[in-house]
Amino acid sequence: EDQVTQSPEALRLQEGESSSLNCSYTVSGLRGLFWYRQDPGKGPEFLFTLYSAGEEKEKERLKATLTKKESFLHITAPKPEDSATYLCAVQANTGNQFYFGTGTSLTVIP
Amino acid sequence: NAGVTQTPKFQVLKTGQSMTLQCAQDMNHNSMYWYRQDPGMGLRLIYYSASEGTTDKGEVPNGYNVSRLNKREFSLRLESAAPSQTSVYFCASRGGQSYGYTFGSGTRLTVV
């Protein structure tokens, strides 16, 4: 069964304190792994797509990496405006559906 | 601004009432989706439309119906609302197989 697990559920960081969020997945053939950011009361906002193990993508203070079993979202020197829930989703080679994790709620304290 | 527009933003229904959630996108995307988001459950797919004229069930379709009115519009209907359908509903569209979703801002629905 296709499955996505994100950890930790919640993370509190001091401003400038770097850390990583984890997304582990089991899927019968990965077409793509997607990261989204969701602010309270809003829809998820697309961040990155990763397609194959070893691939990396960067955007400002965020870097996403992918292995055969998991993905990491590294946050370098975070700022309070990085506070949000970060969602991971995978798409299998078969079918049109994405499978979402339950997210990591990140709080960055000034 | 280009994107996905959902209406209404908030709605309170009584058990047994019906309503339609509207969604429109102006990005010329072929695929459109309806998700619900519940605490601790993540986003779950209700129905999707891979292209104009087609619709398919997702993970949690019971109690819902959809209509792909044209390429831009995809509506979700609750025929007889139940408290278990209290949730935040998101519409999304996607431009191709390898692209991520563009989500609307959501409809917060409460069924009492």
Side-chain angles (χ1 to χ4, degrees):
Chain A
E1 179 181 316
D2 297 335
Q3 199 167 10
V4 179
T5 303
Q6 291 188 247
S7 62
E9 288 188 15
L11 182 63
R12 289 172 64 90
L13 299 174
Q14 291 292 134
E15 184 171 1
E17 179 187 4
S18 301
S19 188
S20 297
L21 282 56
N22 178 262
C23 171
S24 62
Y25 63 91
T26 55
V27 65
S28 52
L30 180 71
R31 174 173 287 174
L33 185 142
F34 301 80
W35 283 98
Y36 294 85
R37 168 190 172 127
Q38 187 173 23
D39 292 298
K42 296 188 176 181
E45 176 187 351
F46 172 72
L47 292 173
F48 304 110
T49 308
L50 301 166
Y51 297 105
S52 57
E55 188 175 0
E56 298 183 352
K57 294 275 180 74
E58 287 190 64
K59 181 179 179 180
E60 296 181 355
R61 295 176 292 282
L62 301 177
K63 183 169 80 171
T65 61
L66 180 65
T67 72
K68 288 186 177 180
K69 295 293 184 184
E70 58 192 349
S71 176
F72 293 93
L73 185 65
H74 306 278
I75 303 176
T76 302
K79 297 182 178 181
E81 53 262 42
D82 294 322
S83 297
T85 295
Y86 291 85
L87 302 173
C88 168
V90 299
Q91 184 184 19
N93 278 328
T94 56
N96 201 9
Q97 187 168 340
F98 283 45
Y99 297 93
F100 280 85
T102 53
T104 293
S105 175
L106 174 66
T107 303
V108 182
I109 305 162
Chain B
N1 292 336
V4 177
T5 303
Q6 290 184 238
T7 56
K9 293 190 182 301
F10 301 94
Q11 184 73 47
V12 179
L13 291 178
K14 293 182 178 180
T15 298
Q17 286 185 318
S18 62
M19 79 162 295
T20 300
L21 281 64
Q22 306 287 352
C23 175
Q25 53 93 8
D26 58 6
M27 296 170 287
N28 202 35
H29 287 170
N30 286 320
S31 303
M32 297 186 73
Y33 305 79
W34 278 105
Y35 279 88
R36 60 179 288 174
Q37 188 174 39
D38 302 291
M41 299 289 290
L43 283 155
R44 291 182 292 167
L45 182 64
I46 304 171
Y47 270 94
Y48 68 97
S49 171
S51 61
E52 187 178 354
T54 69
T55 60
D56 285 288
K57 295 178 180 180
E59 182 183 356
V60 288
N62 291 343
Y64 306 94
N65 285 300
V66 291
S67 296
R68 183 75 182 266
L69 304 171
N70 47 54
K71 191 170 186 179
R72 291 187 62 248
E73 297 173 288
F74 188 39
S75 63
L76 178 72
R77 182 160 179 83
L78 287 70
E79 291 290 352
S80 179
S84 61
Q85 294 177 306
T86 293
S87 187
V88 181
Y89 291 85
F90 288 102
C91 178
S93 69
R94 190 157 67 106
Q97 286 294 323
S98 299
Y99 292 91
Y101 291 124
T102 299
F103 282 90
S105 57
T107 295
R108 185 173 295 273
L109 175 68
T110 302
V111 183
V112 298

